[in-house]
């Protein structure tokens, strides 16, 4: 067995340990949800708004990433703040289960 394959096995076992352990505590679910939602939505909006304002040409991706650097943290904080309001609105909008 050579040293390179031993290193690969060591890295694999470390990654496997992280995947098997998988995680953050359940109480962080709203924060993780906000992080993913903000990240995806901010990136998509940066793509669209940058294309609408300047078109798709040279430097487009760089401009998108510059905008994303600002948009992502702002979107993350907004989702954290707005989430409880949205949960309440959904609760008011959806009918309650009737006992049958």
């Amino acid at each position: 067995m050579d040293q390179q394959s031993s290193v690969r096995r060591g890295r694999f076992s470390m990654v496997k340990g992280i995947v098997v352990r998988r995680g953050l505590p359940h109480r962080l679910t709203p924060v993780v949800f906000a992080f993913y939602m903000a990240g995806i939505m901010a990136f998509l909006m940066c793509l669209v708004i940058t294309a609408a304002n300047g078109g798709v040409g040279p430097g487009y991706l760089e401009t998108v990433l510059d905008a994303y650097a600002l948009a992502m943290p702002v979107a993350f904080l907004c989702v954290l703040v707005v989430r409880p309001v949205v949960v309440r609105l959904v609760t008011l909008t959806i009918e309650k289960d009737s006992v049958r």
Side-chain angles (χ1 to χ4, degrees):
M1 166 168 50
D2 64 344
Q3 185 178 6
Q4 190 176 18
S5 64
S6 176
V7 168
R8 266 189 246 131
R9 263 196 296 277
R11 286 184 187 156
F12 177 75
S13 65
M14 180 179 71
V15 170
K16 184 179 175 187
I18 292 170
V19 170
V20 168
R21 184 176 38 169
R22 214 178 105 195
L24 297 172
H26 188 268
R27 64 185 160 77
L28 293 178
T29 299
V31 177
V32 173
F33 174 86
F35 179 78
Y36 288 136
M37 177 65 80
I40 293 167
M41 292 303 296
F43 187 69
L44 292 174
M45 294 305 298
C46 287
L47 287 169
V48 171
I49 293 169
T50 301
N53 284 333
V56 178
Y60 169 72
L61 190 57
E62 184 178 344
T63 305
V64 167
L65 294 176
D66 286 343
Y68 183 72
L70 173 64
M72 171 48 184
V74 172
F76 178 61
L77 292 174
C78 288
V79 172
L80 284 175
V81 169
V82 171
R83 184 183 178 281
V85 175
V86 173
V87 168
R88 178 72 176 141
L89 289 171
V90 169
T91 302
L92 293 171
T93 305
I94 302 299
E95 69 180 75
K96 293 182 168 102
D97 286 337
S98 60
V99 179
R100 293 179 186 203

